[in-house]
Amino acid sequence: MEYKTLYNGVQIPMLGFGVYQIPEYDQAKQTVLTALKNGYRLIDTAQGYMNEQAVGDAIKESGIPREEIFITTKLWIQDFSYEGAMKATTLSMERLGVEYIDLLLLHQPMGDYINAWKALEKMYEDGKLRAIGMANCYPHVLADLCETFTMKPMINQVEMHPFFQQTLNLETMQAYGVVPEAWAPFNEGLRDFFNNEVLVTIGQQYGKTAAQVALRWNIQRGVVVIPKTVHEERMIQNMDIFDFSLSAEDMAKIHQLDLGHSEIVNHYDPQWIKQLHQWRF
Ligand code: NAP
């Protein structure tokens, strides 16, 4: 496994495992157990995914020492206040069955995230959190936070894949020393992702799939990836990306696929923002 070092010295695996859209307890627990068995050591959950309990139980049942597993979870907007973030984090730790969380993210830069962030800083200082970060910050938002917060986010977890490359966001993160982490590294399968001609053709040179090419592309840009799958053979496939390198020519071809916008979410749509505020977990 390759690692990236956060600005506080904590190391994060370059490849992790996402558990979004696996809300059912037994399936979530079994999926995480299978991922751990196959070598994944970073699990990315969230209060909103409704599976922290299953993740925690799987980690315990795996028998793998706690310190070998990097656990990420996220707080939702409803808890964005100083006290709210404190209480919500305690609940996450109880459900996960842990005494500390490796990385805690604020799921959206919305609501009273400034005071929620102050709570994260305090819990970081108290040793309950090994790292703290944000999710879904576009570059202007990230720059504003970095200029405002006492502690800059250590991670910015955003949608990043060949169809939405977020080059300015990546440059902004690099400028502020914030590690980029890609959610939906496969565009959640949209746009017939796994059969994309450019990705498939590039992969054929190396005996790799479109999925492996897409993960490798992000890793070569310095981006941590957290693909999700409930299938063991895909978990194994998605792990097998550290024995080849994409050429500059391959990277340039993938660069051409960028649409410059998301097809999954629209943070510029007021109705979408209203909906996010109304979600409760
Ligand atoms: P994703 O990883 O881009 O795509 C998941 C889809 O790809 C699933 O349908 C999966 O199917 C399929 N898949 C996985 N590996 C494959 C392979 N090798 N070949 C063919 N199909 C494959 O989407 P995501 O789950 O939305 O994103 C990944 C993680 O990012 C999430 O699980 C979550 O932890 C995180 N996330 C964070 C945010 C945020 O706001 N911070 C938002 C979204 C996601 P099967 O499962 O059926 O195999």
Side-chain angles (χ1 to χ4, degrees):
M1 180 56 64
E2 291 175 13
Y3 294 83
K4 190 108 181 167
T5 305
L6 308 182
Y7 74 72
N8 66 343
V10 166
Q11 289 205 307
I12 180 169
M14 287 297 292
L15 172 74
F17 189 76
V19 296
Y20 181 40
Q21 291 176 330
I22 325 178
E24 203 270 313
Y25 178 86
D26 289 336
Q27 190 188 24
K29 185 176 163 197
Q30 193 49 53
T31 300
V32 173
L33 270 169
T34 309
L36 292 170
K37 186 188 83 181
N38 283 290
Y40 286 88
R41 289 295 180 268
L42 185 175
I43 307 296
D44 183 274
T45 182
Q47 295 208 343
Y49 302 170
M50 310 297 284
N51 55 22
E52 287 180 316
Q53 186 77 46
V55 168
D57 291 352
I59 287 171
K60 203 169 165 194
E61 198 172 307
S62 75
I64 297 166
R66 166 71 186 92
E67 63 276 12
E68 287 180 21
I69 302 178
F70 191 103
I71 305 176
T72 302
T73 193
K74 316 181 191 84
L75 303 187
W76 191 248
I77 307 165
Q78 68 197 9
D79 296 312
F80 287 6
S81 64
Y82 189 86
E83 284 305 320
M86 289 279 185
K87 280 187 197 151
T89 305
T90 303
L91 286 175
S92 275
M93 287 167 73
E94 281 171 15
R95 284 192 288 259
L96 290 163
V98 296
E99 312 237 308
Y100 66 90
I101 291 168
D102 294 278
L103 173 64
L104 187 67
L105 304 177
L106 297 183
H107 213 141
Q108 302 285 344
M110 294 177 193
D112 186 6
Y113 59 86
I114 300 273
N115 277 309
W117 185 259
K118 286 181 185 158
L120 264 57
E121 289 177 340
K122 174 77 170 83
M123 290 185 282
Y124 173 79
E125 280 160 17
D126 292 346
K128 289 182 185 164
L129 310 174
R130 289 181 70 225
I132 57 178
M134 293 294 303
N136 293 302
C137 291
Y138 286 151
H140 62 293
V141 177
L142 182 71
D144 179 46
L145 298 189
C146 289
E147 297 294 340
T148 307
F149 292 166
T150 308
M151 281 176 67
K152 286 178 300 185
M154 290 157 194
I155 290 265
N156 184 24
Q157 185 185 104
V158 294
E159 182 185 345
M160 273 189 177
H161 49 75
F163 297 118
F164 187 28
Q165 303 191 5
Q166 299 230 45
T167 310
L168 179 60
N169 211 346
L170 196 54
E171 287 166 6
T172 310
M173 291 184 230
Q174 281 157 356
Y176 282 104
V178 176
V179 168
E181 187 175 42
W183 65 254
F186 302 142
N187 195 24
E188 296 187 351
L190 295 175
R191 236 173 221 279
D192 201 13
F193 192 90
F194 303 102
N195 295 312
N196 178 270
E197 205 184 319
V198 173
L199 300 177
V200 168
T201 307
I202 289 173
Q204 281 166 351
Q205 303 171 88
Y206 309 100
K208 298 290 178 183
T209 64
Q212 291 169 315
V213 169
L215 295 176
R216 184 72 212 173
W217 166 80
N218 250 331
I219 281 180
Q220 285 185 211
R221 300 194 313 158
V223 178
V224 173
V225 288
I226 46 168
K228 170 261 173 185
T229 175
V230 294
H231 295 98
E232 185 167 15
E233 69 277 10
R234 290 176 178 173
M235 291 177 197
I236 295 166
Q237 182 193 129
N238 296 346
M239 262 272 180
D240 186 18
I241 54 168
F242 295 103
D243 61 349
F244 78 112
S245 287
L246 298 172
S247 66
E249 197 189 334
D250 299 331
M251 296 294 279
K253 279 186 193 150
I254 297 172
H255 188 68
Q256 299 299 320
L257 296 177
D258 193 12
L259 300 170
H261 63 87
S262 171
E263 293 181 306
I264 300 174
V265 290
N266 183 357
H267 282 92
Y268 301 104
D269 174 7
Q271 288 307 321
W272 173 244
I273 300 301
K274 188 173 173 184
Q275 215 174 315
L276 293 182
H277 271 272
Q278 285 169 347
W279 282 350
R280 293 282 178 276
F281 302 107

